[in-house]
């Protein structure tokens, strides 16, 4: 059966019963300094509930994994955080503020789909970012591009898929933001490209900034995560520091993820 489409063109997943789903006793940490907070957040597409009464605090300063299978509500949550969608109920705050121009100014966003202007040359795309974002660090972007061997005069449409992914990440991570929201940054690229992407994220994260990394490829990103959130059918089923989860569950995040989402 083909999956239904919502009004923004994304696939609407079938809601699966949660009967028999394992329940874990991890409690949300007492987070005092949070960069992103959801309060009774819900988003409906017609009769379909994409997010249901989500209450969530994301700690500032770490690398947070928003983990769940395709169709669990991850991208909907991200688009709400970016102000691209409006909640049906509740609210979402970035650094204590409702989403708007002020929150976009401190948030760097890498979408899950390629957004680069294919007709541009790399230099033109860098210039565009430099003109549009006051916190863009051109010298950092140029340094990373040179290290990769991506020429400033190259046409974006002529780049390989992997290099387009890397260019998008370099542009995003060259901003001096408080919050970086990366939607599936390692999906669809080879293992070598994944290593580069994770290395770029780690080396270019400003001190005190937060990486909010959305993916279903847990094993690849687990070593860098400081905090883990499991999202299933639009609801939070786990929200805790990564090390706490591993100690209490006596297994890796990847193993726990497979246990939770096999049902």
């Amino acid at each position: 059966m083909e999956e239904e489409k919502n009004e923004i063109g994304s696939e609407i997943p079938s809601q699966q019963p949660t009967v028999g789903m394992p329940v874990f006793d991890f409690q949300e940490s007492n987070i005092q300094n949070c960069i992103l907070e959801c309060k009774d957040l819900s988003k409906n597409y017609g009769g379909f509930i994409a997010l249901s009464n989500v209450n969530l605090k994301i700690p500032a300063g770490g690398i947070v994994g928003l983990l769940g299978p395709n169709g669990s509500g991850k991208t909907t949550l991200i688009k709400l955080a970016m102000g691209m969608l409006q909640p049906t109920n509740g609210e979402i705050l970035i650094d204590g503020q409702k989403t708007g121009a002020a929150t976009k100014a401190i948030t760097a966003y890498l979408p899950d789909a390629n957004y680069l202007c294919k007709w541009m040359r790399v230099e033109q795309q860098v210039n565009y970012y430099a003109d549009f974002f006051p916190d863009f660090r051109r010298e950092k972007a140029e340094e990373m591009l040179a290290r990769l061997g991506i020429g400033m005069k190259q046409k974006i449409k002529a780049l390989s898929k992997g290099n387009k992914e890397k260019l998008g990440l370099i542009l995003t991570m060259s901003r001096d933001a408080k919050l970086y929201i990366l939607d599936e940054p390692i999906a669809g690229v080879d293992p070598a490209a994944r290593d580069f992407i994770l290395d770029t994220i780690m080396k270019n994260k400003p001190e005190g900034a937060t990486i909010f990394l959305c993916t279903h490829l847990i094993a690849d990103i687990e070593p860098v995560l400081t905090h883990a959130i499991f999202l299933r059918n639009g609801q939070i089923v786990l929200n805790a520091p990564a090390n706490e989860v591993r100690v209490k569950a006596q297994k890796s995040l990847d193993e726990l993820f497979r246990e939770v989402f096999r049902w």
Side-chain angles (χ1 to χ4, degrees):
M1 179 184 297
E2 292 189 359
E3 291 184 315
E4 184 185 354
K5 300 280 184 176
N6 62 32
E7 71 263 26
I8 59 172
S10 300
E11 290 183 348
I12 292 180
S14 301
Q15 292 202 39
Q16 300 295 327
T18 57
V19 175
M21 191 182 83
V23 177
F24 298 94
D25 62 355
F26 300 109
Q27 300 297 316
E28 182 174 340
S29 302
N30 184 23
I31 298 169
Q32 299 297 324
N33 183 20
C34 66
I35 187 66
L36 186 152
E37 183 175 7
C38 302
K39 297 181 178 180
D40 300 320
L41 182 68
S42 295
K43 178 61 181 177
N44 302 345
Y45 298 111
F48 176 78
I49 302 172
L51 292 174
S52 178
N53 197 39
V54 171
N55 287 284
L56 173 67
K57 289 184 178 181
I58 293 178
I63 301 180
V64 181
L66 178 63
L67 314 174
N70 291 330
S72 59
K74 301 189 304 297
T75 295
T76 294
L77 179 57
I78 284 174
K79 288 183 176 179
L80 286 165
M82 290 304 302
M84 299 165 67
L85 294 173
Q86 294 302 311
T88 303
N89 292 299
E91 63 179 354
I92 185 166
L93 306 175
I94 306 292
D95 201 27
Q97 305 175 81
K98 291 187 176 181
T99 56
T103 61
K104 289 180 180 179
I106 61 171
T107 305
Y109 172 49
L110 180 68
D112 60 341
N114 189 288
Y115 65 97
L116 301 172
C117 298
K118 295 180 181 179
W119 56 269
M120 283 187 177
R121 297 182 184 276
V122 172
E123 183 179 38
Q124 291 173 299
Q125 190 78 73
V126 170
N127 289 340
Y128 174 81
Y129 260 69
D131 289 341
F132 200 79
F133 298 109
D135 61 0
F136 184 73
R137 297 166 292 175
R138 176 191 290 272
E139 66 285 352
K140 176 159 281 191
E142 292 179 351
E143 177 188 335
M144 287 190 281
L145 289 169
R147 194 164 69 243
L148 274 180
I150 297 178
M152 296 292 282
K153 300 299 182 182
Q154 284 185 264
K155 290 185 177 181
I156 290 175
K157 66 180 180 182
L159 297 177
S160 67
K161 175 178 172 56
N163 278 347
K164 287 176 184 174
E165 298 278 356
K166 292 172 185 175
L167 173 58
L169 180 71
I170 286 171
L171 292 170
T172 302
M173 295 305 300
S174 292
R175 289 187 56 196
D176 191 15
K178 278 191 173 183
L179 174 64
Y180 297 82
I181 297 180
L182 312 179
D183 192 359
E184 299 287 2
I186 59 174
V189 297
D190 60 64
R194 290 179 188 176
D195 290 343
F196 171 85
I197 287 169
L198 292 175
D199 185 63
T200 300
I201 291 170
M202 293 296 294
K203 288 183 177 178
N204 292 280
K205 172 184 173 297
E207 185 176 357
T210 306
I211 305 288
F212 190 38
L213 202 162
C214 164
T215 188
H216 60 279
L217 301 172
I218 315 304
D220 293 283
I221 67 158
E222 177 165 352
V224 305
L225 293 183
T226 61
H227 199 93
I229 298 164
F230 285 3
L231 186 66
R232 180 187 174 102
N233 291 336
Q235 295 182 317
I236 304 296
V237 295
L238 183 147
N239 177 26
N243 284 338
E244 179 184 324
V245 174
R246 284 187 280 261
V247 170
K248 287 187 176 180
Q250 291 296 294
K251 58 188 69 176
S252 69
L253 288 176
D254 184 54
E255 290 170 328
L256 185 60
F257 182 88
R258 292 172 188 271
E259 183 175 341
V260 171
F261 294 102
R262 72 185 177 190
W263 297 85

